[in-house]
């Protein structure tokens, strides 16, 4: 019995040594059959998008080019977890859509990226200063998606055993009101957040208005719509030609009437 217990203990210890810590950055994966077959060809995204299909809806499919699962209205937002590309077409695995439980594949052309921390960092790369951690004295903070953008639903409390706030903020951005913002890429299961270091509990700093960029499908649709007026010069020319021919016919008929 003692030998069995000793062996079990060694086995348990071996398992524990290979299990990653709870704070590790875990990647959620779907049980979608298409994803399972093409896992190595898919790219991890995990960003929010707004549905913006040209016809006012977006069709969710069982697989790229597969059967229809559901049709969702424009304006809803969901997370694209993975993308897969086929020749010139990119497909995204859509999940966690507002109030819908539908998951499936949609053309990326039918989506508009919701402005987020990644986009903010790209737009303000030259204004973000990286260096030593900022000295802070708070233990709880409101977290924003990006400086002066929307807030997360809950605040974040400091966990000194995990990562003290005094060591968390190494990338700093200063906004137009001279408030400093600290970026944290990952903290206790949450990713890509910003904290106002000078006013950490203020929930009313959402002052940015970011327009929704038209999706590629909508842009193509707008081109199609705008192409209509180009027909007017042709139609005008046809009308002018008809008028001219009619005038000639009238003149000839009058001449014939006088001769008779």
């Amino acid at each position: 019995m003692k030998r069995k217990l000793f062996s079990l203990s060694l086995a348990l210890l071996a398992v524990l040594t290979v299990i990653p810590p709870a704070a590790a950055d875990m990647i959620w994966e779907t049980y979608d059959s298409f994803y399972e077959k093409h896992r190595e060809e898919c790219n991890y995204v995990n960003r929010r998008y707004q549905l913006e299909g040209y016809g006012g809806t977006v069709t969710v499919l069982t697989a790229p080019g597969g059967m229809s699962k559901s049709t969702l209205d424009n304006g809803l937002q969901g997370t694209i977890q993975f993308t897969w590309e086929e020749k010139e077409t990119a497909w995204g695995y859509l999940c966690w859509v507002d109030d819908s439980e539908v998951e499936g594949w949609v053309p990326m052309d039918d989506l508009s990226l919701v402005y987020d921390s990644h986009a903010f960092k790209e737009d303000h790369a030259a204004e973000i200063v990286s260096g030593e951690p900022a000295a802070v004295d708070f233990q709880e903070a409101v977290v924003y998606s990006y400086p002066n953008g929307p807030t997360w639903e809950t605040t974040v409390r400091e966990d000194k055993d995990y990562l003290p706030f005094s060591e968390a903020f190494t990338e700093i951005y200063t906004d137009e009101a001279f408030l400093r913002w600290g970026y944290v890429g990952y903290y206790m299961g949450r990713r890509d957040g910003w904290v106002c270091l000078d006013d950490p509990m203020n929930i009313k700093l959402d002052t940015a208005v970011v327009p929704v960029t038209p999706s590629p499908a909508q842009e193509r649709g707008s081109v199609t719509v705008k192409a209509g007026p180009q027909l007017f010069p042709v139609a005008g020319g046809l009308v002018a030609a008809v008028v001219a021919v009619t005038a000639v016919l009238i003149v000839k008929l009058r001449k014939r009437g006088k001769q008779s």
Side-chain angles (χ1 to χ4, degrees), residues 17-236:
T17 57
V18 297
I19 294 178
D25 195 352
M26 305 291 287
I27 295 179
W28 177 89
E29 290 191 341
T30 176
Y31 293 104
D32 179 77
S33 60
F34 182 88
Y35 171 75
E36 292 294 335
K37 294 179 182 178
H38 300 269
R39 184 195 305 264
E40 300 302 322
E41 305 165 24
C42 293
N43 296 313
Y44 180 68
V45 178
N46 191 34
R47 298 178 76 177
R48 298 282 290 177
Y49 286 79
Q50 182 163 305
L51 276 58
E52 293 292 340
Y54 170 59
T57 61
V58 174
T59 301
V60 183
L61 306 178
T62 56
M67 301 291 289
S68 173
K69 291 181 66 175
S70 178
T71 300
L72 303 177
D73 292 330
N74 282 359
L76 295 175
Q77 293 184 1
T79 299
I80 291 295
Q81 202 66 21
F82 303 96
T83 58
W84 179 82
E85 295 188 14
E86 175 186 32
K87 295 181 180 178
E88 297 181 357
T89 303
W91 296 84
Y93 188 80
L94 180 70
C95 54
W96 302 312
V97 180
D98 288 351
D99 298 326
S100 174
E101 297 181 359
V102 176
E103 294 185 10
W105 295 88
V106 296
M108 292 300 292
D109 279 359
D110 285 348
L111 307 175
S112 294
L113 178 67
V114 176
Y115 198 83
D116 58 10
S117 180
H118 291 284
F120 181 88
K121 292 186 74 174
E122 291 175 357
D123 290 343
H124 299 271
E127 304 163 60
I128 298 173
V129 179
S130 300
E132 294 296 320
V136 297
D137 59 358
F138 52 84
Q139 289 74 47
E140 186 176 6
V142 176
V143 184
Y144 287 74
S145 295
Y146 52 88
N148 299 125
T151 63
W152 290 357
E153 294 181 358
T154 59
T155 59
V156 171
R157 291 181 179 274
E158 179 183 40
D159 187 335
K160 293 184 178 180
D161 294 331
Y162 174 76
L163 179 66
F165 279 173
S166 59
E167 301 175 10
F169 308 107
T170 58
E171 295 181 67
I172 310 299
Y173 167 80
T174 303
D175 65 16
E176 295 180 354
F178 301 103
L179 294 175
R180 296 175 305 145
W181 293 81
Y183 170 76
V184 56
Y186 185 89
Y187 198 90
M188 300 296 290
R190 298 179 178 275
R191 298 181 178 87
D192 299 315
W194 290 82
V195 170
C196 182
L197 306 182
D198 298 318
D199 199 357
M201 293 303 293
N202 192 339
I203 62 173
K204 298 181 179 180
L205 296 175
D206 181 0
T207 58
V209 178
V210 180
V212 176
T213 303
S215 66
Q218 293 235 344
E219 288 181 341
R220 287 200 302 271
S222 64
V223 170
T224 302
V225 172
K226 290 180 180 178
Q230 295 178 0
L231 296 175
F232 284 116
V234 177

